[in-house]
Amino acid sequence: MPVLGIETSCDETGVALYDPAQGLLAEALASQISLHAKFGGVVPELASRDHAARLAPMVNEVLEAAGAGLGDLDAVAYTAGPGLIGALMVGGAYAVSLAYGLRIPAVPVHHMEGHLLAPMLEQPRPTFPFLALLVSGGHTQLVAAAGLGRYETIGQTLDDAAGEAFDKVARLLELPYPGGPAIAALAERGRADAYAFPRPLRGRGLDFSFSGLKTAVRIAVARELERGVPLDEQTRADIAASFQQAAVDSLIEKCLAAARESGLERLVVAGGVGANQLLRSELRAAAQREGIEVFFPRPGLCTDNGAMIAYAGALRRTDQRTMQIVARARWPLDEVAPVRAADAAEW
Ligand code: KG4
Ligand code: ZN
């Protein structure tokens, strides 16, 4: 029986239906990019209101696409954190009310666990234990995943997240939000070696740092502007390509170091920045040279989506029915409850 998944932690409303026996049955995604674009970032109150307006119609749309009805649902999974608290409350209140009315369980899901498990919706499917690089707008971390709910963060950013660095550099280059796809597109016409941007903390442990890289880009932009003319297209493309290369080099160096240190031979990449084509191709090549198997979900499963929440919810499903809404703005991934192999619905 299918599990409905609801994602509302930030600026995408994601709804999906996942069946443990049949796989992903249907999914819908509503992006709020145009809503927030003119503010240069996500406005929390606008995000909450948009989630509230879209959820119910999207659930109907997904059920209809799967030829299912509310009565067919086995559980409702929802993102309980981390994220914007108002946005989480909207999804949580909707999911818990729906589940309570249907007399089925509501399953709170950790957003980053959803990202981490998303590659398992694809073939070939990674098996535990593995190393995970989680790279999104709010997180950049390396996680040793021993089993379902058994995660140890072995490296993380000391300042900005990788996606945040893409977003901030995009703003410096007057590109639209979100910056990742815009930088990647502009970088295609640029030279990655035009500017010698730093690779912070290279060779020094498993933690990341992106704020120095962002500052180096800011200084380079300021120097160009000192000449008194706006940046031409080639200069902007060169800066975007050089920045993207530096960010990707840093991510790859830390992944390889973490693989060596942990002895793990499978690497899973997830989160919005995992959609970056340069990261995908260069990490694949580097991992192959080191004998590491790397798993990327398709780009649509890297960025926020309801499918990963439905899937994590199916694995974490219990018979417990509750009216309690779980919503946590901050929630370290290492604190999620472990799931015994025998407990996991399809393990
Ligand atoms: O996982 P996600 O959709 O939302 C969060 O949970 O944060 O990640 C969004 C982040 C944004 O910072 C966005 O700029 C970045 O992922 N991103 C990319 C690309 N697509 C999205 N960064 C680099 N290259 C991309 N192609
Ligand atoms: Zn995310």
Side-chain angles (χ1 to χ4, degrees), residues 170-260:
R171 225 178 297 167
L172 290 171
L173 295 175
E174 294 175 359
L175 292 167
Y177 168 86
I183 296 245
L186 182 60
E188 273 178 29
R189 302 188 293 275
R191 291 165 300 176
D193 59 356
Y195 291 82
F197 291 138
R199 274 66 171 161
L201 299 181
R202 176 190 261 169
R204 306 212 326 259
L206 302 182
D207 286 335
F208 304 85
S209 168
F210 289 100
S211 82
L213 172 57
K214 171 198 66 192
T215 303
V217 175
R218 173 174 297 137
I219 291 168
V221 170
R223 281 221 182 102
E224 297 291 348
L225 288 174
E226 270 169 23
R227 302 177 190 193
V229 284
L231 299 189
D232 62 43
E233 267 315 287
Q234 190 58 49
T235 304
R236 292 172 74 238
D238 286 347
I239 292 175
S242 302
F243 160 75
Q244 177 176 245
Q245 188 68 56
V248 164
D249 284 353
S250 295
L251 292 170
I252 293 176
E253 191 250 330
K254 299 294 176 185
C255 284
L256 299 184
R260 264 180 238 125

Side-chain angles (χ1 to χ4, degrees), residues 111 115 136-138 163-164 166-167 178-181 271-273 275-276 302-304:
H111 180 81
H115 276 306
S136 69
E164 193 179 353
F166 272 89
D167 295 337
V273 182
N276 185 276
C302 281
T303 44
D304 289 349

